[in-house]
Amino acid sequence: MKDKEELINEIRELKRRSKTVILAHNYQRDEVQEIADYTGDSLGLSRTATEMDTDTIIFCGVYFMAETAYILNPHKKILIPEPRAGCPLADMITIDQLLKLKSEHLKVPVVCYVNSTAEIKAESDICCTSSNAVSVVNSLDEGEIIFIPDKNLGSYVESKTSKKMILWPGYCPTHQDITADQIRALKKEYPDAVFIAHPECETDVLDLADEITSTSGMYKFAKKTSSNTIIIGSEIGMRYRLEKENPDKLILFPSKGTICPNMKLTTLEKVYRSLNEEVYEVSIDEGIRARAESAVRKMINIS
Ligand code: CIZ
């Protein structure tokens, strides 16, 4: 079995020889972020994939993210090292449930969070991410909006707009595990700390936040805050880049358990195999992909 350094060197060499670009989501393992050419959020990475002059991209993240990269880059080969890396939040609404919801609220536009399957995106009017959800909702003329599948992000958006939101009861189990009591305890221990929360957290946790933002927004806020102690209300993979970019700041998480088990399924060994054997290729039925692309492009055009 190869040791970590050996694997990293071989991955770098294979990547160089095959002209493959590796993209890694902000929640990936430290060592996977280390070998990536780019790290970022799902939309940022999908857009980077569009700009890259390469035919093959390895997307280290969960399945809907690699799908989103494929939706925007159907002529490129998008590989995911671990195809079983799913997203429980994306799976909390099925296509039949969405069709039923739409039939109960005719003419109400559907905004779907990027954490959704390609099929769900194809049945939605417009997509959004955690960084542009408020502007996406505000861009619509209608006063009433169906927002799927994340109830926490949806109710945060509702608090920032004058729209009536029909929410779906989905949630991210990792962010849902962060509690207001954990944050209060950390704030008591570190009274000068600022708390940055992801909008996938529950409302009582968001009520304690100094800043509510996406993963990309967290990196920006961490750099500019004058506080030397930052509590992060999100997945533990954020620690890698936050500590690298802010060596003088103390980065704290509410618990050691703020882990997305699906994000951690991608390992260096699997990235090596993906490069070596060109597995596993993402593909989506063209009819679904084209309709999903329309929802994603509409979002890109307004943000
Ligand atoms: O869009 C993403 O990558 C997710 C799931 C979260 C975020 O805030 O970046």
Side-chain angles (χ1 to χ4, degrees):
M1 189 149 146
K2 298 178 205 300
D3 70 20
K4 188 177 154 193
E5 281 320 304
E6 223 179 318
L7 256 179
I8 288 181
N9 289 336
E10 289 192 20
I11 287 173
R12 289 198 169 124
E13 180 53 24
L14 263 178
K15 189 168 67 141
R16 194 186 57 76
R17 269 198 273 136
S18 60
K19 297 199 177 71
T20 300
V21 170
I22 301 186
L23 306 178
H25 189 264
N26 297 325
Y27 296 158
Q28 286 289 290
R29 291 169 183 266
D30 294 3
E31 60 275 22
V32 173
Q33 295 194 44
E34 196 183 324
I35 49 92
D37 297 290
Y38 297 91
T39 54
D41 61 22
S42 55
L43 184 70
L45 292 175
S46 296
R47 288 170 100 160
T48 302
T50 313
E51 290 152 17
M52 296 324 311
D53 183 21
T54 178
D55 295 334
T56 308
I57 289 167
I58 295 190
F59 200 115
C60 304
V62 294
Y63 205 81
F64 81 82
M65 297 179 173
E67 267 189 345
T68 310
Y70 179 82
I71 288 168
L72 291 175
N73 299 278
H75 304 301
K76 289 186 177 160
K77 190 182 274 183
I78 308 291
L79 303 174
I80 180 162
E82 176 46 88
R84 288 167 305 173
C87 170
L89 168 57
D91 293 338
M92 280 181 196
I93 187 161
T94 64
I95 195 69
D96 288 345
Q97 287 169 323
L98 175 55
L99 293 176
K100 181 165 180 287
L101 189 65
K102 284 172 71 165
S103 72
E104 287 162 0
H105 303 277
L106 294 173
K107 300 207 175 110
V108 178
V110 177
V111 176
C112 73
Y113 186 29
V114 68
N115 296 42
S116 53
T117 63
E119 217 182 357
I120 294 291
K121 287 185 177 79
E123 262 317 312
S124 300
D125 294 278
I126 186 165
C127 188
C128 76
T129 68
S130 47
S131 58
N132 60 25
V134 174
S135 7
V136 165
V137 165
N138 279 335
S139 75
L140 300 169
D141 294 334
E142 292 82 352
E144 202 176 17
I145 311 287
I146 296 174
F147 191 93
I148 55 166
D150 189 330
K151 68 180 165 84
N152 292 329
L153 177 62
S155 63
Y156 167 69
V157 173
E158 189 167 36
S159 75
K160 297 281 168 196
T161 69
S162 55
K163 310 275 184 181
K164 180 176 178 311
M165 310 275 283
I166 298 161
L167 302 179
W168 186 256
Y171 59 88
C172 160
T174 303
H175 285 90
Q176 188 85 4
D177 267 0
I178 300 171
T179 67
D181 281 347
Q182 289 169 336
I183 305 303
R184 274 191 286 267
L186 273 174
K187 283 197 155 198
K188 199 168 164 201
E189 200 177 339
Y190 300 92
D192 296 330
V194 284
F195 171 45
I196 321 179
H198 195 278
E200 287 177 25
C201 294
E202 282 209 274
T203 310
D204 59 343
V205 174
L206 296 184
D207 286 344
L208 300 171
D210 298 288
E211 179 75 5
I212 300 170
T213 186
S214 63
T215 55
S216 309
M218 287 182 177
Y219 296 126
K220 286 188 201 133
F221 188 86
K223 272 188 187 167
K224 77 168 193 231
T225 179
S226 56
S227 175
N228 284 326
T229 309
I230 306 170
I231 305 167
I232 300 292
S234 194
E235 213 272 347
I236 206 121
M238 296 294 295
R239 185 192 294 284
Y240 175 75
R241 198 167 133 194
L242 283 168
E243 286 186 344
K244 216 166 154 183
E245 293 180 351
N246 305 279
D248 301 331
K249 294 182 181 173
L250 178 63
I251 310 294
L252 301 169
F253 284 79
S255 88
K256 283 203 183 76
T258 322
I259 292 177
C260 169
N262 285 287
M263 282 286 179
K264 305 310 185 222
L265 286 176
T266 303
T267 58
L268 284 180
E269 285 80 4
K270 290 177 188 173
V271 175
Y272 176 80
R273 176 159 183 239
S274 186
L275 262 169
N276 211 18
E277 298 175 25
E278 300 209 353
V279 289
Y280 293 89
E281 195 168 346
V282 175
S283 163
I284 305 169
D285 168 86
E286 181 51 25
I288 293 176
R289 190 208 63 79
R291 286 191 297 135
E293 182 178 12
S294 155
V296 177
R297 293 257 175 230
K298 275 190 213 153
M299 161 185 74
I300 290 175
N301 291 342
I302 67 129
S303 49

